[in-house]
Amino acid sequence: LRRRGSMSIVLARRLQGFHVLLEMALRNERARPGPDDRTVTNIKKKKLAIKDRLAVFDDRRLPSRSR
């Protein structure tokens, strides 16, 4: 279990890094004269997918709250 948890942390950090790279790519594309809408949309979709995966990771890390 301990190894699995550390693997999850490594994956989360990699995803966060990839998310930052996508943000940089998005800024670069938007800064170009005549940015390609399809490229912007694809980058946004990838960023959202990563954000969703990170949210699942965060949900697993948080202890269950009783209501």
Side-chain angles (χ1 to χ4, degrees), residues 35-67:
D36 182 38
D37 291 337
R38 219 178 311 166
T39 300
V40 169
T41 299
N42 287 335
I43 294 170
K44 285 182 175 182
K45 285 180 182 180
K46 287 178 185 179
K47 282 182 60 182
L48 184 57
I50 290 172
K51 188 175 179 182
D52 288 346
R53 287 185 73 186
L54 286 169
V56 169
F57 174 77
D58 285 343
D59 288 346
R60 282 193 227 152
R61 289 184 57 213
L62 296 174
S64 299
R65 295 181 185 167
S66 55
R67 293 180 185 190

Side-chain angles (χ1 to χ4, degrees), residues 16-37:
Q16 289 169 342
F18 192 51
H19 192 269
V20 169
L21 291 174
L22 287 171
E23 180 62 32
M24 291 169 52
L26 184 58
R27 285 185 193 153
N28 288 339
E29 184 62 33
R30 285 180 168 164
R32 285 179 11 154
D36 182 38
D37 291 337

